[in-house]
Amino acid sequence: MNGMDNKPFYPMVFCFIPSCLGIMLSYAFCFSLNVWIFCFIVSLIFAAFSFYCNHFLDFIEFHTKKLISIPLFDQNEYLSTSDRNPYLRNDHSFLKCFLAFLVILTFFGFWHSFCWNYYPKDHIRFLISKENTPAIIQGYLTSSPKIFEPNDREFGQIFEQTATTIFDLEVESILNNNVWQKIKGKVRIIVRSELTHLKIGDRVQICGLLNPLKSPSNPNDFDQEFQLRSERILLQMNVPQSESIRFLSQNRSFFVLRFFETLRTQAAQMFDAELSEENAQIAKAITLGIRSSLDNEMIDLFRETGTIHFLAISGLHLALFAKIIHSILLIFGCPRRFLSLTLIGSVIFYLFLTEGQTPSIRAAVLIIIVCGGLLFQRTSFNINSLAAAAVIVLLINPNELFLLGAQLSFLATGVFLWTVPQKRNVDSNDAQGRMDQSTVILLKIIFKHNLEKIRAYFDSACYFLFYKLFKHCFSKGTVSENMAFKRTLSIFRNAFFFILKKAFRLFIISCIIWLVLLPLILQHFNLLTPIAIFINPIIWIPMLLSLFFCLVFIVLSWVCPFLCPLASFWIEISLDLFRYLLEAAHYISLGRFWLPGPTPFWSFCFYLPLIFWTICPSKRPHIKFLLLFFIIWGIGEVGAFYYQRHQDLKTQNVCLNIFSVGHGMSILITTPEHRNILYDCGSLTSSPRYVAQIIAQALWKQGKTNIDLVIFSHADADHYNAFEQLNKLLTINAVCASPVMFQKENEYIDQLEKMIVDAKIPFYSVVRNDSLDFIGFPMLKILHPSAEQLTKDSTNNANENSLVILLEHLGRSILLTGDLDASQAGFLENDSPVKLDLLMAPHHGGKSQNYQALLDWGQPTFVVITGGRFQRNIESEKSLRSKGFSVLNTYSNGCIQVNISSSENDSLASGQIEVKMMRTGQNEDYFAQNIEINE
């Protein structure tokens, strides 16, 4: 046997690489489906000839090489050889592999293009092009309804939240001109009430408002359009009440899914009945995948301790579940084949019980492959198994390649493979011994003591804690002569070091996985949780106990519900310990940091070599080189960030981000010195938590963790109610408002004032003609309200006291008006008109005649409306456009970014203004791009 025979062969890795390349090419270039079909057929034909017609391949290779102007070897020798034997009859291994590579690449490119862009001509999406289109549709449920309970009312939230039910509907027909028209497609249904009588497979008739999916409204927003479209859902319907849904019949083809839905519902009801509210929420999440009942505080607790993965049914849960079943079967001495088949069946059962969510599908595929390897006595858990699982997942849904959950899942498993000893002509016990020996070496390095000293300390501790108390149980004599004590001590010592080595290995693995996933987590969440390194290994024990007792509880709830209280006692204990550890970790202030993340380019540079070394274990470098690679990458990323920031400081640019927050206002202003001003931070139609998050993420991308100045225009909740959450995410250096800001009689205003005082944030009250130069912002000028106006009895009318600010930079002017009524604006009469480049429409785009005086005074080029579902007058945009103004609306255009930069002649007297939008407009049909219709 030669050396080549000893090298491991990973065929699924060979399939995984072209499958990823084909999907990425399809997504990046959007080739037509016919192009992919043509390429696939051509590559398939050539591949078939390569395997069955060596004569044809020799002919192609011979004549191709004759046409090469600069051959790879001596041309005379080649021609002389070919003259004697024109067809060389080579093996052509490389050419065959290359053609197989092309076949797989073109197939997955075709498959992604089909799933992403290919829809039948009778799809419901082609009938809907406008928002809020009234429709009556019929179809059947393809997912179990998920009920999201309302959270506690947040600070400054005016409208009370209600329960929401969400499910997916496969549409069969739509009422068109009083005629039921056959139609296809899936729709996401959102009902503003609680539905408990519907199940998967029910045929229903629904009346509601259909809306096309929208792209993200703000930078770093969750891309719901991509998420739903990857599931081939292109529309969502808003249903105001449960009475708009009428049950028709049952689809009997869903009887299996309905059976598992009944089991899941029964178990969830028993959790609610037997456990405390908080423990019931966690138990349903970690065992059944029901996360809809979790409140925001509980989710924040898991997220900020780096344990959010415990809430999603993923590889961790299925691995623990399989481990529990495996241990139980081993106790009863089950044979290997029965054990493997039982594990596969149990995992499939648990997959259906948790509704087959995407993370659990990924984990189940990998576990089934591993169990199949055990069944046929093959090496099961290696890079080939991981690649096979990835290929199967991409066959199910090729868009999983771009989803963060799939990336984190496979990256974590790939890193875990680095710590697993591979079989390479050695006994498994020897491999395990080498791994344990490496653990011992690391223990020596960390503790800086010889293990013999640790054993001596352990023996002394056992002598005082064990022998002194129970010496009457041993025979007389010295400790060295007492064999019973020595045997007992040996058992305890071996158990202690076994647990120590296993815990230390788990700690090392947790550190490695955390470090490798850190750039991706920082890029998407801007959250650094070093406490996760320490809490994850510790929390495994209560997690395993909780999962075990919850599974026992679920089985009892199906078999004999009267025994559930026995299991619920142990669930309460294990989950209480679980929550106690989380809360203790969350209490440590240095356990989490909000930081800017790396750019996509630097993330790519980080993960590309790691993926290569994972796929090719023989090419992995020494641990010292890996540490050097991490250090060089970190220095390079930080250096590039600060270099770009240094370059930005040389410019005189001012940037405004007018965020899309619905009916509200939040404007982030970045000065040339990279200082940040926030003008208002609130919304009525969006969650204050969401508003604070998008503001904080915009600052984290700049490398900032603080806001230099927050300006409140007036005392309406839609202009300040995100301040509480914002104060938790960022450091606020100063607050500015009018003197009557906190004189309004409102409980939220009193709480806001208390927050500012408790946080010891400096507060400055300003009126007309006051300058903000004393806090470093000379470009801002206060135009309203005046001190004379404040002497009037107007403290309860917040709108007419709105703080109006004129921003002037490089000859450009922007007016921020709050909710000012132009009839109360004294500066219109006292100040000379200013040519405005941009005007924030007062009162979120109220009736344009109410601020006609402002339009006449400033003659703005752009008018921006921060609208939402409660826009005060939808005719305002039409009226303004008819008068020649360029009107933008954050509700339809998304976040609007305004950049004021120096002109090409570098003159500080004038500058250029550039306006960018996240979306081009409300009436744009995003779906019409790159869509192919099946005729």
Side-chain angles (χ1 to χ4, degrees):
M1 184 179 291
N2 55 25
M4 293 294 293
D5 296 331
N6 293 328
K7 292 184 178 181
F9 177 59
Y10 301 130
M12 296 310 301
V13 174
F14 177 80
C15 298
F16 171 71
I17 296 173
S19 64
C20 292
L21 290 177
I23 293 172
M24 288 189 288
L25 287 174
S26 173
Y27 182 77
F29 297 103
C30 296
F31 295 129
S32 171
L33 194 65
N34 295 328
V35 173
W36 284 112
I37 294 175
F38 174 77
C39 294
F40 173 68
I41 293 176
V42 171
S43 60
L44 191 62
I45 292 174
F46 276 96
F49 273 106
S50 72
F51 283 97
Y52 298 105
C53 301
N54 281 336
H55 185 83
F56 175 76
L57 268 184
D58 289 332
F59 175 82
I60 292 179
E61 186 171 348
F62 172 75
H63 288 283
T64 302
K65 289 182 178 179
K66 285 183 65 176
L67 297 177
I68 298 177
S69 58
I70 305 178
L72 299 178
F73 47 88
D74 186 73
Q75 189 174 8
N76 295 327
E77 180 182 354
Y78 175 75
L79 291 177
S80 62
T81 305
S82 62
D83 289 339
R84 293 193 302 270
N85 186 7
Y87 304 129
L88 301 178
R89 298 291 180 182
N90 291 329
D91 187 33
H92 307 290
S93 298
F94 175 78
L95 186 58
K96 291 178 181 179
C97 290
F98 177 72
L99 291 174
F101 188 92
L102 286 181
V103 170
I104 299 173
L105 185 148
T106 52
F107 170 77
F108 274 92
F110 152 76
W111 181 233
H112 175 267
S113 180
F114 178 85
C115 295
W116 184 252
N117 293 326
Y118 197 66
Y119 295 90
K121 64 179 181 180
D122 57 346
H123 197 279
I124 186 174
R125 178 61 181 82
F126 295 108
L127 299 179
I128 308 299
S129 60
K130 297 181 180 180
E131 287 188 346
N132 297 327
T133 302
I136 301 177
I137 58 177
Q138 289 183 357
Y140 55 90
L141 278 69
T142 58
S143 66
S144 299
K146 297 180 179 59
I147 301 175
F148 292 86
E149 299 293 338
N151 291 307
D152 295 335
R153 185 179 295 183
E154 298 182 42
F155 169 77
Q157 213 166 15
I158 303 301
F159 302 107
E160 185 174 356
Q161 294 182 331
T162 58
T164 303
T165 305
I166 298 178
F167 58 88
D168 297 333
L169 187 80
E170 184 70 32
V171 184
E172 296 177 326
S173 58
I174 185 172
L175 189 62
N176 190 1
N177 295 324
N178 295 325
V179 176
W180 287 104
Q181 176 183 347
K182 294 293 183 180
I183 208 73
K184 296 179 181 178
K186 291 178 70 175
V187 177
R188 172 63 55 88
I189 308 296
I190 303 176
V191 186
R192 302 296 176 184
S193 61
E194 184 174 347
L195 293 179
T196 57
H197 62 282
L198 293 181
K199 294 185 177 181
I200 187 171
D202 287 348
R203 291 187 68 252
V204 293
Q205 178 178 305
I206 305 177
C207 177
L209 300 176
L210 284 171
N211 291 280
L213 299 179
K214 279 188 175 183
S215 57
S217 301
N218 298 284
N220 311 307
D221 260 356
F222 172 69
D223 195 346
Q224 187 184 29
E225 180 192 25
F226 183 90
Q227 178 76 30
L228 293 181
R229 186 171 170 181
S230 65
E231 302 173 16
R232 296 184 67 82
I233 298 175
L234 303 172
L235 292 170
Q236 67 180 19
M237 171 176 276
N238 294 320
V239 182
Q241 53 190 1
S242 58
E243 288 75 11
S244 301
I245 301 177
R246 185 161 64 94
F247 173 80
L248 299 178
S249 61
Q250 290 184 3
N251 191 334
R252 297 186 179 275
S253 60
F254 284 82
F255 72 95
V256 175
L257 297 179
R258 290 175 68 91
F259 169 74
F260 282 99
E261 183 184 28
T262 302
L263 296 181
R264 184 169 56 252
T265 303
Q266 181 180 352
Q269 292 174 350
M270 292 299 295
F271 276 132
D272 291 330
E274 299 293 338
L275 301 180
S276 62
E277 183 178 358
E278 291 182 341
N279 288 340
Q281 293 177 4
I282 299 177
K284 289 188 292 185
I286 65 176
T287 54
L288 302 174
I290 301 176
R291 294 180 292 169
S292 56
S293 60
L294 290 170
D295 55 21
N296 291 328
E297 293 184 359
M298 185 65 67
I299 294 176
D300 288 343
L301 178 64
F302 279 89
R303 180 187 294 113
E304 294 177 6
T305 53
T307 56
I308 190 68
H309 54 280
F310 285 111
L311 292 181
I313 302 296
S314 58
L316 173 64
H317 297 75
L318 266 75
L320 292 177
F321 173 76
K323 184 64 176 177
I324 292 172
I325 301 298
H326 181 265
S327 301
I328 294 174
L329 294 177
L330 284 180
I331 292 174
F332 291 97
C334 297
R336 176 179 50 80
R337 290 184 178 274
F338 178 79
L339 187 147
S340 301
L341 291 174
T342 305
L343 279 177
I344 293 175
S346 301
V347 168
I348 294 175
F349 179 86
Y350 192 63
L351 181 66
F352 278 95
L353 182 63
T354 58
E355 204 179 356
Q357 299 175 4
T358 304
S360 55
I361 292 176
R362 292 193 298 264
V365 169
L366 184 59
I367 293 176
I368 291 172
I369 290 174
V370 172
C371 294
L374 294 175
L375 184 65
F376 296 101
Q377 295 184 343
R378 293 181 179 271
T379 303
S380 53
F381 188 55
N382 54 23
I383 187 60
N384 200 56
S385 304
L386 183 62
V391 171
I392 294 174
V393 168
L394 294 179
L395 280 172
I396 298 174
N397 184 4
N399 294 292
E400 286 285 327
L401 182 65
F402 308 106
L403 298 179
L404 180 62
Q407 295 170 2
L408 292 174
S409 175
F410 282 105
L411 276 174
T413 309
V415 174
F416 184 75
L417 282 174
W418 285 46
T419 65
V420 177
Q422 300 294 325
K423 284 187 177 181
R424 292 199 183 121
N425 296 329
V426 295
D427 185 74
S428 60
N429 294 327
D430 296 336
Q432 184 66 35
R434 291 199 306 272
M435 177 59 74
D436 291 340
Q437 184 64 27
S438 63
T439 304
V440 171
I441 294 173
L442 287 173
L443 280 170
K444 289 182 179 180
I445 295 174
I446 290 180
F447 291 108
K448 298 181 180 180
H449 288 286
N450 191 288
L451 288 182
E452 294 300 329
K453 293 184 178 180
I454 299 178
R455 290 190 178 96
Y457 297 150
F458 179 79
D459 292 347
S460 300
C462 286
Y463 174 75
F464 286 106
L465 298 178
F466 188 77
Y467 185 75
K468 288 288 187 181
L469 294 177
F470 301 99
K471 59 183 179 181
H472 60 278
C473 298
F474 303 106
S475 60
K476 296 182 180 181
T478 63
V479 175
S480 59
E481 296 175 351
N482 197 315
M483 297 303 297
F485 177 74
K486 292 173 68 174
R487 286 193 297 267
T488 306
L489 182 63
S490 176
I491 294 173
F492 276 89
R493 184 196 299 126
N494 293 337
F496 171 76
F497 280 99
F498 175 80
I499 295 173
L500 181 64
K501 287 189 290 185
K502 293 297 182 182
F504 190 74
R505 281 191 62 195
L506 185 61
F507 174 75
I508 295 298
I509 293 172
S510 177
C511 290
I512 295 173
I513 293 177
W514 181 82
L515 286 173
V516 172
L517 299 185
L518 182 60
L520 197 60
I521 293 174
L522 280 177
Q523 180 185 339
H524 288 86
F525 302 109
N526 302 103
L527 181 60
L528 175 67
T529 55
I531 192 64
I533 298 177
F534 304 97
I535 191 65
N536 274 309
I538 299 174
I539 211 170
W540 272 66
I541 298 176
M543 175 65 188
L544 182 62
L545 292 175
S546 300
L547 186 61
F548 172 75
F549 290 123
C550 285
L551 292 176
V552 172
F553 182 91
I554 291 174
V555 174
L556 291 177
S557 68
W558 300 333
V559 180
C560 44
F562 60 88
L563 294 178
C564 285
L566 297 177
S568 65
F569 171 77
W570 296 105
I571 296 177
E572 291 281 4
I573 293 177
S574 56
L575 286 180
D576 284 340
L577 177 60
F578 186 81
R579 286 195 300 109
Y580 174 78
L581 291 173
L582 286 181
E583 292 170 356
H586 189 264
Y587 181 77
I588 301 174
S589 59
L590 297 179
R592 62 191 181 279
F593 303 94
W594 300 97
L595 298 174
T599 61
F601 170 77
W602 282 99
S603 295
F604 177 79
C605 294
F606 180 83
Y607 287 111
L608 184 63
L610 291 181
I611 293 173
F612 172 75
W613 291 327
T614 303
I615 292 175
C616 304
S618 61
K619 303 295 183 182
R620 292 177 188 170
H622 193 269
I623 185 65
K624 294 180 179 179
F625 180 81
L626 280 176
L627 294 176
L628 182 63
F629 167 74
F630 292 147
I631 293 172
I632 292 175
W633 179 87
I635 294 174
E637 199 280 331
V638 174
F641 174 79
Y642 280 102
Y643 173 78
Q644 182 62 42
R645 185 173 179 181
H646 177 71
Q647 293 298 111
D648 293 340
L649 288 174
K650 294 181 179 179
T651 64
Q652 294 293 322
N653 297 349
V654 167
C655 178
L656 279 80
N657 283 289
I658 307 171
F659 297 111
S660 176
V661 295
H663 188 90
M665 186 177 294
S666 291
I667 304 173
L668 181 64
I669 306 170
T670 303
T671 68
E673 298 81 15
H674 266 254
R675 302 186 70 193
N676 292 285
I677 309 163
L678 183 63
Y679 183 82
D680 284 338
C681 53
S683 175
L684 289 185
T685 56
S686 298
S687 167
R689 184 183 299 268
Y690 166 75
V691 177
Q693 192 71 28
I694 62 173
I695 295 171
Q697 285 180 341
L699 287 167
W700 290 329
K701 293 300 179 184
Q702 300 178 14
K704 302 278 286 188
T705 57
N706 69 296
I707 302 177
D708 296 284
L709 177 64
V710 174
I711 301 175
F712 295 124
S713 63
H714 62 292
D716 279 350
D718 55 336
H719 293 259
Y720 66 80
N721 61 5
F723 183 84
E724 180 185 33
Q725 293 296 326
L726 201 62
N727 193 33
K728 296 178 181 178
L729 301 177
L730 299 166
T731 303
I732 298 174
N733 296 344
V735 172
C736 178
S738 68
V740 296
M741 172 71 188
F742 299 111
Q743 296 181 14
K744 183 177 180 179
E745 297 179 0
N746 186 297
E747 60 173 330
Y748 291 129
I749 287 293
D750 297 336
Q751 294 179 27
L752 177 64
E753 184 178 17
K754 187 177 184 300
M755 286 180 207
I756 296 173
V757 173
D758 293 343
K760 298 181 181 179
I761 302 174
F763 174 76
Y764 304 97
S765 60
V766 292
V767 294
R768 174 179 166 82
N769 294 328
D770 284 348
S771 174
L772 296 180
D773 194 10
F774 68 98
I775 52 177
F777 301 105
M779 65 180 62
L780 302 181
K781 182 180 179 181
I782 310 298
L783 298 185
H784 184 82
S786 63
E788 295 79 10
Q789 183 178 2
L790 292 178
T791 59
K792 302 176 182 178
D793 186 16
S794 57
T795 57
N796 289 326
N797 192 338
N799 291 341
E800 63 185 38
N801 290 321
S802 293
L803 201 61
V804 179
I805 294 179
L806 179 66
L807 187 153
E808 294 180 316
H809 182 66
L810 299 179
R812 299 294 184 174
S813 301
I814 297 176
L815 191 65
L816 310 178
T817 58
D819 283 353
L820 176 71
D821 190 339
S823 62
Q824 305 291 333
F827 65 89
L828 297 178
E829 300 176 357
N830 300 326
D831 290 6
S832 300
V834 176
K835 179 62 178 75
L836 297 175
D837 295 284
L838 185 142
L839 170 69
M840 294 300 303
H843 228 305
H844 314 285
K847 295 181 180 179
S848 58
Q849 55 266 30
N850 288 355
Y851 52 93
Q852 183 62 46
L854 272 176
L855 298 172
D856 296 337
W857 180 77
Q859 289 297 313
T861 304
F862 295 94
V863 178
V864 177
I865 297 173
T866 55
R869 287 186 296 148
F870 301 126
Q871 187 174 323
R872 302 194 62 80
N873 189 355
I874 60 175
E875 299 297 326
S876 295
E877 292 188 41
K878 297 180 181 179
S879 175
L880 291 171
R881 287 193 176 96
S882 65
K883 296 176 182 178
F885 297 106
S886 297
V887 183
L888 305 175
N889 194 325
T890 56
Y891 181 68
S892 54
N893 299 118
C895 177
I896 299 169
Q897 188 179 78
V898 183
N899 290 294
I900 302 176
S901 58
S902 57
S903 57
E904 296 179 358
N905 57 10
D906 293 330
S907 173
L908 297 180
S910 62
Q912 296 178 339
I913 187 167
E914 181 183 13
V915 178
K916 298 179 182 179
M917 299 164 285
M918 285 287 294
R919 297 195 295 258
T920 56
Q922 182 176 359
N923 297 323
E924 180 186 5
D925 193 352
Y926 309 100
F927 178 68
Q929 301 177 2
N930 306 317
I931 297 300
E932 300 183 29
I933 303 176
N934 180 12
E935 296 293 344

